[in-house]
Amino acid sequence: MRASLLALSLATTALAPTLADAAVVYTQPAAALNSGFNPGGACCDGTGVWFNPLSGYAETRGYLFPASLFEDGKFFLFGDTSSGSAEARVYTQGFFSRGNGVIYASAGNLNPARFGVGESIGAGTGYQNPGAGFTDLGPSYGNWAPGRGFLGLTIRDPSGASSSDTFYGFADITVNKDYSITLNAFAYENVRGQAITTAFAAPVPEPSSGWLFGTGLIGVAALLRRGRVQAA
């Protein structure tokens, strides 16, 4: 009987996947975050939405910039009203030369590309040259119309040695009719160079090792009860 229980326990443990097997790291804030409007044009005003897929950090801020401003993976969404009308924009607050950036529409259109649901973002996607393009989404200078879409992100791996050591990710955003920006969610693929597919909802997680272990314990308990009944 004990041998049977041990075999069942070992089989359950062997079948249980580890959480480390998950490759896509998806973050969805408890509530969508809206950038509001930035009268300083982000040169001297931190008003907007800040987020970092590597850490899962996301917040809406007022005037002051975050205490940690330049870090790998940090992005800044804001509605720039410094010129009198609203312009939706995005900044990458990392080290541009080391790989952090957005994916541009093309070499001839250095504004952020707009992706739809189910599109792949990877090494061969759009034009990738961190820090080379404009930050505008629209309406005056950018190529985005109001509505929901995805920003393609290249994110520097802090443990890497060069600008090619990057992760691919996306930000699920809505450019509103007034050209403020709403951040709905964001994600990145935690394998360097691996493409990621855009999605509105978090991927359905695989059963965790804890859940499978619990299932195994239920089976063990059933065997014990059956053994007691047969002994009686």
Side-chain angles (χ1 to χ4, degrees), residues 199-228:
F200 280 145
V204 177
E206 293 292 331
S208 68
S209 57
W211 181 86
L212 286 173
F213 182 70
T215 304
L217 291 179
I218 292 173
V220 169
L223 284 175
L224 287 173
R225 285 196 300 273
R226 186 165 59 184
R228 286 198 296 269

Side-chain angles (χ1 to χ4, degrees), residues 3-97:
S4 299
L5 294 177
L6 178 60
L8 176 60
S9 177
L10 291 175
T12 301
T13 303
L15 289 173
T18 65
L19 296 179
D21 292 337
V24 175
V25 180
Y26 191 99
T27 302
Q28 187 170 24
L33 305 177
N34 186 268
S35 69
F37 296 104
N38 187 318
C43 70
C44 50
D45 191 329
T47 301
V49 174
W50 298 79
F51 70 99
N52 189 333
L54 296 179
S55 63
Y57 155 78
E59 69 169 335
T60 299
R61 293 187 66 89
Y63 178 77
L64 296 176
F65 288 97
S68 178
L69 180 58
F70 296 100
E71 64 184 30
D72 291 322
K74 183 170 280 187
F75 294 85
F76 179 32
L77 304 170
F78 61 102
D80 182 358
T81 55
S82 60
S83 61
S85 60
E87 181 79 13
R89 305 184 74 182
V90 54
Y91 277 176
T92 302
Q93 299 299 114
F95 298 102
F96 287 121
S97 63

